[in-house]
Amino acid sequence: MKKLLIITILALAPIASFPQSTREKARQLLDSLTIDEKISLMMDASPAIPRLGIPQFNWWNEALHGVARAGLATVFPQTIGMAATFDDKALYETFSIVSDEARAKFNDFRDADDLRRYHCLAFWTPNVNIFRDPRWGRGQETYGEDPYLTSRMGEAVVRGLQGDDPLYLKTLAGAKHFAVHSGPEWNRHSFDARDIDPRDLRETYLPAFKALVDADVAQVMCAYNRYEGEPCCSSKRLLQQILRNEWSYRNIIVTDCWALNDFTNKGAHETHRDGAHASSDAVISGTDLECGPVLNNLRQAVADHLIDEATIDSAVIKLLDFRFRLGELGNSPDVPWNSYSPSTHLNTPAHAAKALEMARKSMVLLKNDGILPLSPSQKIMVVGPNADDSVMQWGNYNGTPAHTVTILEGIRRFIPDVPSVRGCALTGGLGEQSVFDHLASGLYARFFNGHGTSRTPRSVAEAMYSTPVALDGGGATVFAPGVSLTDFEAELRGLFIVPEDGDFILTVSASPGQHKVTLGDVTTREFAPDGTLAIPFSATRGEKIPVSIDFCHFDGDASLSVDILNARKQSVSYDDADIILFVGGISPRLEGEEMRVTVPGFRGGDRETIELPRAQRDLIRSLADAGKKIVMVNCSGSAVALAPEDSVCSAILQAWYPGQAGGQAVAEVLFGAYNPGGRLPVTFYRDDSQLPDFEDYSMAGRTYRYMDAEPLYPFGHGLSYTTFSYGTPRFSSTTIAPGETITVTIPVTNTGSMDGDEVVMAYVKNPADPAGPRRSLRAFSRTHIPAGKTVDVTFELTPDTFTTFDYATSRMLPLPGTYILQLPDSSHTITLTP
């Protein structure tokens, strides 16, 4: 009863229940603003209004798995990896650290009068869209395919970011992208999610958003796509009927970036005649804040009587109120985090330890025929394109760590002289071998906004990149904090130390612009029509050759990749190895948000096939045919079809994009220093044939809840180096009525010889509902159990546990009936009474 009451209070809390002092201050300030000033405050880059003491504030900030795009920060595993921990308590602690670092960085930026994009306190995270299809490139940003898991993890993120101070919010969290948004990326600006069964809407696509509204999330971001014909950022059904009216949401609604442009852009939604109609409709529908320029048309919309100033006021007062609640507006001296600084709360040993903990907990052991854990005394060789790639480990929407432990580096902490060879590229042919990592100290870059006479006199950002370099500005991603999305220049400099006598090729791929590449004393601007350049050269071992790239970008998504390859196919001997550690998979350079990727099998950030790229598959097969035992480490932000690999590899470890400490975590699992306990938050399908049409938003045949076919690895799958047994569950009751709570307690024993974590899950099935899910996760707990010990795991079950969509009322309701509660090794019936 207590839990239900709290949820009800949060869901129905009007804005007037916020601390009255901030509401009153917001009202007083609002009354002093001109209409043009009000409109300016509704933009993501909100300017200062000195006459009223309002400082500059930028609402666009990212913290998907650490403070992002703002320089040094602790980089935790990509979100999908943290979902695999099934540990919302650890996730809450993680995002408490993220908000600590955010406050420390904000204080530093404010002291330097540098409050531009990515430097303030309103974060557009978490992404709680349902990962309904593994081809979606942004699925890596989510907490998986299950609504309940996503809800629990999303709530933890909100609590960690916003804090628990009674007067001030630590930062602002933002639930995105509302709603029914999960690809494809390539047509998201014109896609209409139509004909969605209301049950799929309510039971799959909306529960996590409802949970975050109940958790008092400060912001909800509306999506790019249309829903039932209307753009989500002007959807009366989504924003007014559901979010504002049914759920009583009184906080901020913000647009995705440039989403309002799609209202009028040719080839996009084209639903509105001009900016005045687009801006007024968005605000009338409930949008308060825009990432983009279209709300500048509100002044004309008022003049044309398309919107009244009172409606604009209702948006602005929310924005002012929340800025007061941050303590940022008014510069309140009693804000608890005012003393935080980069020296005290950024990149600390404790934060690094949490990054390692989360990386360890994210590891999912998919297969093990007994070969793991390995011994350092075995004859092992490391092979694969992801073994020594630090940037891959960062995922997308990332910060910059002080140091990244690559998987190869982690393995070399156990076997210092382990041999390693790339073997193949992620998607390229066998034998391709990058040697660009022989660049002394990496590739140093300086960035300048503008170009030619408009170029800034001094660099706006500097960065040191490990090599090979792959930078991509797709999805409104900047190359470095402070650098414009378009119209900028970069100077990249390095010194290539030739590893051996031979022939090499410097390869550069760049988006359209004016670029210059210099290798030694050879300079060229002659790029091929597809934006590529290859400079062959011969060199001797130890020779030092300067490498220089001048990159001048004008418009569109910016991209730049630089590598040096051996010109000849490498003849690699694997004879001295009995075990091959193959580190492969895919990369954030191939999957992500609206990317410029034209590699076969990938489109616009999404995947056209979930199969492991052919080059890797062929190499693994050849190694198996040569009699090698293979342990595969798969790095990806989504499910990969690994049926052929499952048949030839002795073990497979799913490592995701594991963050700054990922290499250490992988190595510890491989060599038995850590017992894996992660579970899959997504289904690993057997092959492409098990996937429905990507553009079909029906849940039929999708995810563990609705698919009939047998997947390769199911949702919730994950192996351990120990074994667990379950005792007979104990119930406080097997009948539950509205307002009641019952408990179920399950004794879990570690029957093996190694301490380990067990994730206990409880699923619900309604046998009287054949059209419903096959089963649905309704409780979980990750519990550490020492070898030989027994621990009681207790779940509380409320009527909400048995909530189902009711077509008669178009609401989610606890419907009376008898349900099957599926627990490990057993099933039980629970009766929900009227």
Side-chain angles (χ1 to χ4, degrees):
M1 174 181 262
K2 181 178 180 182
K3 180 178 179 182
L4 286 175
L5 179 60
I6 292 174
I7 289 176
T8 301
I9 291 173
L10 288 173
L12 298 178
I15 196 167
S17 70
F18 296 158
Q20 277 297 305
S21 58
T22 66
R23 179 68 170 174
E24 291 166 0
K25 289 177 182 178
R27 169 58 65 186
Q28 292 168 3
L29 200 52
L30 180 73
D31 292 341
S32 301
L33 292 168
T34 68
I35 180 66
D36 291 322
E37 288 170 338
K38 293 173 184 178
I39 293 169
S40 74
L41 294 175
M42 298 172 70
M43 318 298 288
D44 65 289
S46 299
I49 304 176
R51 70 179 187 86
L52 295 176
I54 299 176
Q56 176 185 0
F57 189 75
N58 201 299
W59 292 83
W60 185 353
N61 307 277
E62 306 288 354
L64 183 66
H65 52 121
V67 178
R69 302 177 178 177
L72 178 68
T74 305
V75 178
F76 297 93
Q78 180 58 291
T79 311
I80 193 68
M82 291 198 285
T85 69
F86 277 74
D87 192 336
D88 52 340
K89 178 178 182 294
L91 190 67
Y92 163 75
E93 294 166 352
T94 295
F95 276 89
S96 293
I97 288 173
V98 173
S99 55
D100 281 351
E101 295 200 348
R103 275 287 178 173
K105 294 175 78 69
F106 170 73
N107 293 340
D108 196 45
F109 290 135
R110 182 171 57 183
D111 290 346
D113 194 24
D114 187 15
L115 295 178
R116 51 195 155 109
R117 185 182 296 169
Y118 308 132
H119 288 184
C120 293
L121 294 172
F123 291 97
W124 293 341
T125 198
N127 183 340
V128 291
N129 291 129
I130 292 300
F131 197 1
R132 67 183 178 95
D133 192 300
R135 289 166 290 198
W136 186 35
R138 296 193 72 180
Q140 62 179 291
E141 303 173 24
T142 75
Y143 289 93
E145 69 184 37
D146 181 75
Y148 179 77
L149 175 64
T150 300
S151 298
R152 284 268 298 268
M153 301 304 257
E155 288 168 359
V157 173
V158 171
R159 290 189 295 110
L161 285 177
Q162 296 190 172
D164 57 3
D165 187 84
L167 294 180
Y168 294 104
L169 290 168
K170 198 174 180 186
T171 69
L172 306 184
K176 65 183 186 185
H177 309 82
F178 192 70
V180 288
H181 176 76
S182 54
E185 284 296 299
W186 64 269
N187 66 354
R188 64 182 185 170
H189 300 288
S190 60
F191 182 75
D192 188 0
R194 283 186 175 274
D195 302 321
I196 295 174
D197 187 287
R199 182 167 189 176
D200 285 342
L201 177 70
R202 297 289 185 155
E203 292 191 2
T204 298
Y205 294 112
L206 295 187
F209 288 100
K210 176 62 165 63
L212 268 58
V213 166
D214 290 345
D216 204 23
V217 68
Q219 307 169 94
V220 170
M221 175 180 280
C222 47
Y224 286 116
N225 57 284
R226 275 175 287 157
Y227 172 68
E228 295 182 340
E230 278 192 298
C232 289
C233 290
S234 65
S235 170
K236 312 305 179 291
R237 180 156 159 75
L238 290 176
L239 303 188
Q240 288 289 351
Q241 177 187 331
I242 296 175
L243 190 57
R244 294 295 195 199
N245 295 337
E246 290 183 23
W247 297 354
S248 299
Y249 181 69
R250 298 293 180 261
N251 298 346
I252 297 165
I253 297 176
V254 57
T255 75
D256 208 336
C257 292
W258 293 279
L260 297 192
N261 293 62
D262 294 338
F263 288 24
T264 57
N265 279 357
K266 189 72 174 174
H269 297 316
E270 296 186 75
T271 50
H272 295 69
R273 71 175 68 171
D274 54 34
H277 285 80
S279 60
S280 58
D281 190 23
V283 175
I284 290 169
S285 300
T287 299
D288 305 299
L289 176 69
E290 183 195 10
C291 179
V294 177
L295 290 192
N296 283 316
N297 292 279
L298 281 175
R299 190 70 175 85
Q300 184 63 47
V302 172
D304 293 343
H305 305 290
L306 298 174
I307 190 171
D308 57 32
E309 190 170 349
T311 303
I312 293 173
D313 288 351
S314 68
V316 176
I317 196 169
K318 294 182 201 128
L319 304 176
L320 294 173
D321 195 4
F322 272 91
R323 290 181 62 178
F324 277 121
R325 294 183 70 194
L326 283 170
E328 169 269 332
L329 189 55
N331 197 20
S332 302
D334 58 339
V335 174
W337 313 282
N338 276 345
S339 63
Y340 286 19
S341 71
S343 63
T344 61
H345 286 84
L346 180 64
N347 189 41
T348 69
H351 296 184
K354 180 60 73 170
L356 176 58
E357 175 195 336
M358 296 306 284
R360 287 167 171 163
K361 288 184 171 182
S362 73
M363 297 292 135
V364 182
L365 186 57
L366 300 178
K367 177 184 178 180
N368 183 22
D369 67 2
I371 193 172
L372 296 181
L374 299 169
S375 167
S377 64
Q378 292 173 297
K379 296 170 66 176
I380 295 170
M381 185 176 192
V382 179
V383 180
N386 277 334
D388 202 27
D389 188 339
S390 59
V391 176
M392 171 277 299
Q393 294 181 197
W394 301 348
N396 72 351
Y397 280 90
N398 58 279
T400 304
H403 176 70
T404 303
V405 180
T406 68
I407 294 173
L408 179 61
E409 181 183 344
I411 292 168
R412 283 183 170 160
R413 294 182 179 183
F414 288 85
I415 310 177
D417 58 351
V418 66
S420 174
V421 64
R422 195 177 186 207
C424 68
L426 282 170
T427 60
L430 293 173
E432 278 188 2
Q433 184 69 22
S434 172
V435 291
F436 204 17
D437 55 351
H438 290 273
L439 200 69
S441 301
L443 197 63
Y444 173 72
R446 295 196 306 159
F447 294 91
F448 304 83
N449 288 334
H451 66 277
T453 57
S454 68
R455 171 174 146 163
T456 54
R458 297 180 180 177
S459 62
V460 295
E462 299 180 4
M464 182 68 74
Y465 293 105
S466 59
T467 50
V469 169
L471 304 174
D472 194 293
T477 300
V478 295
F479 271 23
V483 179
S484 300
L485 283 168
T486 59
D487 192 22
F488 69 92
E489 294 185 8
E491 297 175 349
L492 296 92
R493 304 289 185 263
L495 190 67
F496 176 57
I497 302 176
V498 181
E500 59 187 31
D501 296 353
D503 299 323
F504 306 92
I505 303 174
L506 170 65
T507 66
V508 182
S509 176
S511 52
Q514 294 178 355
H515 316 309
K516 180 177 72 173
V517 177
T518 302
L519 178 72
D521 56 2
V522 177
T523 297
T524 182
R525 300 177 182 270
E526 300 300 321
F527 280 72
D530 64 354
T532 61
L533 171 68
I535 303 177
F537 64 99
S538 299
T540 58
R541 178 184 175 87
E543 190 176 351
K544 298 179 180 179
I545 304 176
V547 179
S548 173
I549 297 100
D550 292 301
F551 179 84
C552 183
H553 184 74
F554 300 109
D555 196 15
D557 291 341
S559 63
L560 175 67
S561 60
V562 187
D563 203 351
I564 296 178
L565 304 173
N566 281 307
R568 295 187 296 269
K569 297 289 185 181
Q570 299 299 293
S571 178
V572 179
S573 173
Y574 302 98
D575 294 343
D576 293 336
D578 296 328
I579 298 174
I580 301 294
L581 282 178
F582 185 88
V583 187
I586 49 179
S587 163
R589 297 194 295 271
L590 295 172
E591 61 171 347
E593 181 181 3
E594 199 176 11
M595 299 169 66
R596 289 165 49 94
V597 176
T598 57
V599 176
F602 299 86
R603 181 182 184 186
D606 295 325
R607 289 188 289 161
E608 295 179 311
T609 173
I610 63 170
E611 301 291 341
L612 187 70
R614 175 58 58 187
Q616 299 180 57
R617 179 157 287 172
D618 288 348
L619 179 54
I620 291 172
R621 170 58 67 180
S622 68
L623 292 169
D625 290 344
K628 303 300 179 183
K629 290 185 177 296
I630 303 169
V631 173
M632 181 182 184
V633 178
N634 187 68
C635 300
S636 65
S638 49
V640 177
L642 297 172
E645 289 65 46
D646 180 81
S647 68
V648 299
C649 293
S650 297
I652 302 177
L653 178 68
Q654 178 64 27
W656 314 105
Y657 302 137
Q660 67 181 49
Q664 181 175 342
V666 167
E668 288 179 349
V669 169
L670 294 175
F671 291 95
Y674 182 80
N675 188 358
R679 301 294 187 91
L680 289 181
V682 290
T683 299
F684 269 49
Y685 298 86
R686 183 167 295 278
D687 52 43
D688 289 333
S689 70
Q690 292 187 325
L691 299 176
D693 180 359
F694 189 10
E695 296 185 48
D696 182 358
Y697 268 72
S698 167
M699 289 305 296
R702 294 189 182 280
T703 75
Y704 82 94
R705 294 167 63 233
Y706 288 99
M707 69 179 295
D708 295 320
E710 189 68 27
L712 182 63
Y713 306 118
F715 174 91
H717 174 72
L719 304 177
S720 172
Y721 294 150
T722 191
T723 54
F724 299 94
S725 67
Y726 294 83
T728 302
R730 304 188 299 272
F731 292 84
S732 62
S733 175
T734 56
T735 301
I736 182 172
E740 292 183 349
T741 296
I742 64 173
T743 61
V744 53
T745 302
I746 311 163
V748 185
T749 302
N750 184 337
T751 56
S753 59
M754 189 174 186
D755 296 354
D757 290 359
E758 176 69 343
V759 178
V760 184
M761 304 182 195
Y763 295 85
V764 166
K765 166 68 178 176
N766 183 354
D769 180 21
R774 296 172 63 246
R775 62 176 184 165
S776 296
L777 183 69
R778 284 293 184 263
F780 64 85
S781 175
R782 180 166 181 151
T783 304
H784 183 74
I785 307 177
K789 300 296 184 180
T790 299
V791 172
D792 282 346
V793 175
T794 299
F795 297 134
E796 286 191 347
L797 307 180
T798 70
D800 280 350
T801 305
F802 310 94
T803 296
T804 305
F805 178 70
D806 177 38
Y807 281 95
T809 61
S810 295
R811 296 288 193 275
M812 293 291 292
L813 298 173
L815 299 181
T818 299
Y819 294 79
I820 297 174
L821 182 67
Q822 298 177 342
L823 300 169
D825 298 334
S826 64
S827 292
H828 302 267
T829 58
I830 301 289
T831 301
L832 179 64
T833 62

